[in-house]
Amino acid sequence: MANVNVYNMEGKEVGTIELNDAVFGVEINEHLVHMAVVQQLANNRQGTQKAKTRSEVSGGGRKPWRQKGTGHARQGSTRAPQWTHGGVVFAPVPRDYSFKLNKKEKRAALKSVLTDKVQAGKLVVVDELKFDEIKTKQFVTVLNNLKVESGLVVIADNNENVVKSARNIETVSTSVVNEINVYDVLNAKTLVLTKDAVAKIEEVYA
């Protein structure tokens, strides 16, 4: 099992924590990570694009000229795609881009990215994050103490003071354990977890 240092909000080392290999020490499966990211991005697409085909554009009900004898190429409608104001060939229509990924695959992908953060030394564990008031400056001070420039901060349960203190910091996002996903963890330059968050992740995913 991997041991990582635990820091307090002042950035001082206050102990170590042993991470469960079933969550933070698995074999990294790059294919599942890729699939999980593709699925999340696909599920976020609205799919509301629409353009009209030649059958949907108004007008063009009669032939612009007779079939033969004019010297022009034959034309059946002024709303054919080659005409100005004509319809679109293979026009996009509203569709659902989402697809399903098995629960076991999602869990394996998340464990893979968590393991990657540990192996890359991009995981920081803090004993607690507690603020008496909503104060962005105070949150920035904590990040500076932890030497974290940007990343994802994960807490065990929703804490309004923590979340709102971090909301105005462009390079930092926050999440609770039951909302973390592969894409956010993978994109985070540094992953910051509270001790309670580590315990809850191990409880849910081990």
Side-chain angles (χ1 to χ4, degrees):
M1 292 188 175
N3 281 309
V4 296
N5 295 328
V6 178
Y7 300 92
N8 60 16
M9 290 171 61
E10 286 73 45
K12 296 176 182 175
E13 189 179 324
V14 293
T16 60
I17 187 172
E18 199 172 75
L19 301 177
N20 190 338
D21 281 346
V23 179
F24 295 95
V26 301
E27 184 180 344
I28 297 174
N29 191 323
E30 292 183 6
H31 173 67
L32 286 182
V33 172
H34 172 73
M35 288 297 294
V37 170
V38 170
Q39 188 220 19
Q40 186 171 339
L41 294 178
N43 291 358
N44 287 343
R45 293 183 69 175
Q46 283 188 316
T48 53
Q49 73 276 36
K50 178 72 175 79
K52 291 183 179 181
T53 63
R54 61 183 295 171
S55 65
E56 296 169 316
V57 180
S58 62
R62 55 169 292 185
K63 285 169 71 70
W65 50 74
R66 67 180 190 270
Q67 182 84 344
K68 292 178 177 291
T70 63
H72 296 296
R74 55 194 176 188
Q75 301 290 331
S77 169
T78 56
R79 296 300 179 260
Q82 72 270 21
W83 285 73
T84 303
H85 308 302
V88 178
V89 183
F90 305 129
V93 293
R95 56 167 289 195
D96 181 11
Y97 288 94
S98 65
F99 64 93
K100 188 177 180 293
L101 207 61
N102 292 335
K103 190 182 290 186
K104 282 186 178 179
E105 292 176 322
K106 281 184 180 179
R107 290 167 69 94
L110 184 59
K111 290 178 185 180
S112 291
V113 292
L114 290 172
T115 299
D116 178 65
K117 290 299 178 191
V118 175
Q119 292 179 356
K122 299 295 184 183
L123 177 70
V124 176
V125 179
V126 60
D127 59 349
E128 64 174 358
L129 285 175
K130 190 177 288 184
F131 298 106
D132 296 327
E133 57 180 337
I134 298 168
K135 202 75 174 174
T136 301
K137 189 182 289 186
Q138 192 176 350
F139 200 100
V140 170
T141 301
V142 172
L143 292 177
N144 291 336
N145 293 339
L146 296 172
K147 296 182 175 61
V148 174
E149 294 179 7
S150 65
L152 175 66
V153 178
V154 180
I155 53 181
D157 300 296
N158 193 29
N159 184 318
E160 187 179 24
N161 286 356
V162 172
V163 173
K164 288 190 175 180
S165 294
R167 196 161 56 183
N168 277 344
I169 306 174
E170 188 178 358
T171 57
V172 172
S173 57
T174 59
S175 179
V176 292
V177 169
N178 60 358
E179 291 179 355
I180 58 173
N181 58 74
V182 174
Y183 183 78
D184 288 345
V185 175
L186 189 65
N187 270 359
K189 191 173 181 181
T190 306
L191 179 63
V192 180
L193 300 175
T194 63
K195 278 184 72 175
D196 289 344
V198 172
K200 199 164 184 179
I201 288 172
E202 291 180 344
E203 179 187 338
V204 173
Y205 294 100

